[in-house]
Amino acid sequence: MFPEKLINTLQQAQDIVVLTGAGVSAESGIPTFRDALTGLWQRYDVNQLACEDGFLSDPALVWGWYEWRRHRVLKAKPNPAHLTIAKLAKQVPKLTLITQNVDDLHERAGSHEVLHLHGSLHQPRCIACESLYYLPSIDMMQLTTADQECRINPPRCSLCGGLIRPGVVWFGEALPTKIWNQAVQASLQCDLMLIVGTSGLVWPAADLPYQAEKTGSFVVQINPTLTSFNSIAQINLAGKAGELLPQALSICISRKQ
Ligand code: BV8
Ligand code: ZN
């Protein structure tokens, strides 16, 4: 059962920001970001795989890691957490969804205008001329979801011959300015911020809850484990997003009756 304060806040919220991380996709079978560096990928660290230098020094290894992750997303389905966030947006006057995730499960669950701080697995582009590259559709049977390490040579740009790179924001790269500014603005204005499934280790995304808290937003965290946000959240719900978010939604809906 949720604390009284949370029930009242959910029933009166007018402007909600939801900030998600890899944990919101965990119940869809997508390894969380740190888990995506386990298994047979555990011998690599994030700086070998999720940065431009790593890609340039071994394009086939890095492109293979992203293709392995993209194929897992293609095979996955939105889980109750994604679906609930999309429904919640219909229950309140304003809801801004900000995600650190590079999958499209929020969109496939029905969310619109998702602010992707770290880009997308589905928008690769040429590393030289920046033109978008359209990935060929894949026969679902061909998907490489086996946990073997897959080295795949990245395609080449048809316009300039440059290497095609994943359309994500790598470590050391700036976040998309317009999206970042929208995310900061929304965090400063909201009356309720739900932080769902993020370890809060990656900056500047991890700064958003602090922006919300300093301007008086009510901050709620949903995560099975402790994070640095435990110290600023008014309410910490220890549990899975796919189980707790539907409960929060039913409280929001109950205010209507
Ligand atoms: C930049 C795309 C500057 C790639 C990613 C201070 C300020 C600014 C920068 C820095 C700073 N300090 C350090 C930096 C540098 C760096 C950084 O943050 N390093 C960290 C490691 C210390 N930041 C950057 O480099 C950023 N760029 O600052 O640029 C600049 C400015 C101008 C010009 C040039 C440069 C760029 C950061 C973006 C990196 N790219 N992703 C890819 O995906 O491969 S980040 C990556 O981590 C993913 O996007 C992921 O989403 C994100 C955060 O991880 P989480 O989502 O939190 O996932 P994680 O696995 O950690 O945690 C999952 C959580 O879910 C856990 O807590 C778990 O308990 C929970 N969970 C599990 N199951 C469930 C659940 N919760 C609920 N329900 C469940 N069922
Ligand atoms: Zn090109």
Side-chain angles (χ1 to χ4, degrees):
M1 197 47 198
F2 287 0
E4 196 63 30
K5 178 83 182 110
L6 177 56
I7 292 172
N8 295 336
T9 307
L10 283 167
Q11 291 181 334
Q12 289 150 27
Q14 298 297 308
D15 181 342
I16 299 181
V17 162
V18 182
L19 171 65
T20 64
V24 81
S25 298
E27 290 156 89
S28 296
I30 304 294
T32 64
F33 191 66
R34 266 118 207 112
D35 292 349
L37 291 162
T38 54
L40 285 168
W41 296 99
Q42 64 187 4
R43 57 200 172 101
Y44 301 102
D45 76 33
V46 72
N47 292 315
Q48 275 177 290
L49 297 176
C51 68
E52 188 178 46
D53 290 349
F55 176 69
L56 293 175
S57 60
D58 193 341
L61 177 72
V62 174
W63 182 259
W65 184 53
Y66 281 93
E67 281 296 273
W68 172 72
R69 288 170 63 194
R70 186 171 71 89
H71 289 195
R72 291 190 74 139
V73 169
L74 288 170
K75 283 198 94 143
K77 288 194 178 37
N79 68 60
H82 299 108
L83 297 166
T84 301
I85 293 167
K87 289 180 195 150
L88 186 59
K90 298 188 177 82
Q91 293 300 323
V92 291
K94 187 179 173 206
L95 184 141
T96 306
L97 175 53
I98 304 167
T99 189
Q100 299 169 85
N101 297 344
V102 293
D103 65 50
D104 61 345
L105 293 171
H106 280 307
E107 288 83 353
R108 285 162 56 191
S111 289
H112 304 289
E113 293 166 41
V114 182
L115 298 179
H116 279 271
L117 297 178
H118 297 156
S120 165
L121 283 171
H122 301 292
Q123 289 161 359
R125 64 176 188 272
C126 173
I127 202 162
C129 71
E130 304 262 310
S131 43
L132 284 179
Y133 177 81
Y134 292 93
L135 287 157
S137 55
I138 297 171
D139 170 348
M140 289 311 236
M141 298 315 290
Q142 286 175 304
L143 289 175
T144 52
T145 51
D147 268 342
Q148 86 279 10
E149 187 183 294
C150 40
R151 301 176 76 85
I152 306 173
N153 286 318
R156 289 275 175 178
C157 171
S158 54
L159 296 178
C160 77
L163 282 173
I164 298 302
R165 58 158 285 174
V168 300
V169 177
W170 274 327
F171 288 101
E173 293 184 328
L175 275 58
T177 309
K178 185 166 174 274
I179 291 174
W180 174 247
N181 292 339
Q182 285 174 292
V184 170
Q185 205 52 38
S187 302
L188 291 172
Q189 283 167 343
C190 66
D191 48 33
L192 169 61
M193 175 179 272
L194 298 175
I195 312 168
V196 184
T198 178
S199 59
L201 295 174
V202 172
W203 295 81
D207 195 39
L208 294 173
Y210 297 93
Q211 302 279 344
E213 194 259 346
K214 87 178 175 197
T215 47
S217 309
F218 193 87
V219 178
V220 177
Q221 179 178 219
I222 293 178
N223 195 321
T225 61
L226 290 176
T227 73
S228 53
F229 298 134
N230 279 72
S231 58
I232 59 161
Q234 277 88 343
I235 304 260
N236 288 289
L237 300 174
K240 293 184 174 182
E243 293 163 12
L244 290 167
L245 278 172
Q247 294 174 38
L249 176 68
S250 53
I251 292 170
C252 262
I253 294 172
S254 65
R255 74 177 175 183
K256 299 270 190 217
Q257 278 112 20

